[in-house]
Amino acid sequence: MNGNNDSGRSGIPDGAEKVSTAVIRRLPRYFRYLRELLRQGRLRISSGELSKLMHVTATQIRQDLNCFGGFGQQGYGYNVKYLYAKISEILGVERGYRAIIIGAGNFGRSLSSSTLFDHRGVKLTALFDIAPEVIGKTINGFCVLDARKLEEYCAQNRVDIGVLTLPRPEASGMAARLSKIGIRGIWNFTGAELELEKINSVVETVHMGDSLMTLCYRMNKAESDTDKKQ
Amino acid sequence: MNGNNDSGRSGIPDGAEKVSTAVIRRLPRYFRYLRELLRQGRLRISSGELSKLMHVTATQIRQDLNCFGGFGQQGYGYNVKYLYAKISEILGVERGYRAIIIGAGNFGRSLSSSTLFDHRGVKLTALFDIAPEVIGKTINGFCVLDARKLEEYCAQNRVDIGVLTLPRPEASGMAARLSKIGIRGIWNFTGAELELEKINSVVETVHMGDSLMTLCYRMNKAESDTDKKQ
DNA sequence: TAGATTGTTAATCGATTAACAATC
DNA sequence: TAGATTGTTAATCGATTAACAATC
């Protein structure tokens, strides 16, 4: 636990060599497994045991964690509570980010009712749309607001994350608008490829269509492989 | 266009050296860009021009495509229509896969109304649930069926893909059940980590929570970086 | 102290990029 | 033929794994 040059609230060490996206993409998974271990009341865990649980190598776990500091103790392993706290910090769970959903269609509504946000320290505060027939309606406890008054709302309420669930053609315009308002995170479900150069915010895209396609590829492949064996 | 050892309907060459997941994950993106070029009436495109469009290197495009065969022509580039057809074939768009959604909650319903499936040659045929109050209801043109009668339905209708949008605790049981029925593809939105050893199907998981977390990480990082510079 | 397990360096493996001969 | 652009080999870069000294 030699806790290196720690950077205040973020839990992310200074200037340090860039952490690869491969590592970053694995962090949420560590977070989930540690949360579960904590829930089970486990006090400590070794990289070896965690590796069996998660089906990854123990070395990878140690390497990954060491990008952010020495959280373990030789001969002991990792203190579950401490490590969970550290990873939460690194992932910004402590920041209490606030999000709004833009596009109160079927998908936006379903997101508004999910526990995704709450479980990760993100607070959903409002839903926006432009259709007169939905504005003013209450959905899952959120009053749908007029998207034309977005700037107004953001001036009065802190908003960190904009969730894009509107029609694809409007995605890039809205992303630029959110970025201009000063919303620093964009969670993009529209499938649009946002031109990052024009957007001064962090963008995370979930491309469901691409996901479905890779599923189809692998099914197609599996099928053609079995055909071959006969 | 030296079209190598082509394997019937799948478009995936024989035994060939394993294609890496990195390549596979990029295929849907090529598919989308080519579809757009085709829509625009473009007849041909070079790897150089496509690389500018997609913000990847031309070499990577050529390497990726050559995992599946030589689709281009020296001095000319790629025929858009032909390449699109080939990639569609590789991705199994031609197979006409049929899907069902299991879990007619908010998220399942929103998926049932999306164009995701249709646009990729996948046909959605039914929604299932266990709640008596939704069974029999019509949602987006689909009559919600009783999940207890899943086996019965699958015996009478070809089903290739099961989309899991039910509560997480039921995910792994349902996945095993689908696999047993012979459904070869599982599209998992529950966030559950399905034990692949026990499942004889291809599994594709979309973990939205993990995606949100990586967004938060990068926001947290950006924030701590700017703090540092002052 | 002896045993366990980390943190870290070095070795391996895999993926991306550069370069260019082949060829349309 | 000359020009363009692919397919492919070789070089580089990055990520994962193995090994082990440090240390609790």
Side-chain angles (χ1 to χ4, degrees), chain A residues 85-100:
Chain A
K86 279 299 180 185
I87 292 186
S88 299
E89 211 182 317
I90 292 162
L91 289 173
V93 175
E94 319 288 310
R95 295 269 183 177
Y97 287 130
R98 297 164 70 88
I100 58 174

Side-chain angles (χ1 to χ4, degrees), chain A residues 6 117 126 197 215:
Chain A
D6 205 63
F117 299 97
E197 307 88 50
L215 175 66

Side-chain angles (χ1 to χ4, degrees), chain A residues 27-83:
Chain A
L27 290 178
R29 196 155 175 263
Y30 293 128
F31 174 77
R32 288 189 277 116
Y33 274 87
L34 285 161
R35 182 168 57 186
E36 177 57 21
L37 287 166
L38 194 62
R39 204 193 57 76
Q40 289 171 10
R42 286 291 303 268
L43 295 180
R44 70 188 189 97
I45 189 139
S46 68
S47 60
E49 196 182 352
L50 191 55
S51 85
K52 274 179 207 132
L53 234 52
M54 296 182 66
H55 302 288
V56 294
T57 64
T59 303
Q60 184 167 71
I61 293 173
R62 295 203 299 277
Q63 285 273 32
D64 284 356
L65 297 178
N66 274 85
C67 292
F68 302 96
F71 301 141
Q73 199 169 64
Q74 280 99 331
Y76 175 85
Y78 298 87
N79 176 300
V80 172
K81 200 169 172 182
Y82 177 74
L83 185 56

Side-chain angles (χ1 to χ4, degrees), chain B residues 46-47 62-63 66 72 74 78:
Chain B
S46 68
S47 59
R62 296 203 299 276
Q63 285 273 31
N66 274 85
Q74 281 99 331
Y78 298 87

Side-chain angles (χ1 to χ4, degrees), chain B residues 92-112:
Chain B
V93 174
E94 319 290 309
R95 294 271 184 177
Y97 287 131
R98 298 164 69 89
I100 58 174
I101 290 177
I102 297 132
N106 286 319
F107 187 70
R109 292 172 198 214
S110 80
L111 274 188
S112 75

Side-chain angles (χ1 to χ4, degrees), chain B residues 18-31:
Chain B
K18 204 180 165 299
V19 177
S20 76
T21 39
V23 174
I24 295 165
R25 295 249 158 240
R26 283 193 291 266
L27 290 178
R29 195 154 176 265
Y30 294 128
F31 174 77

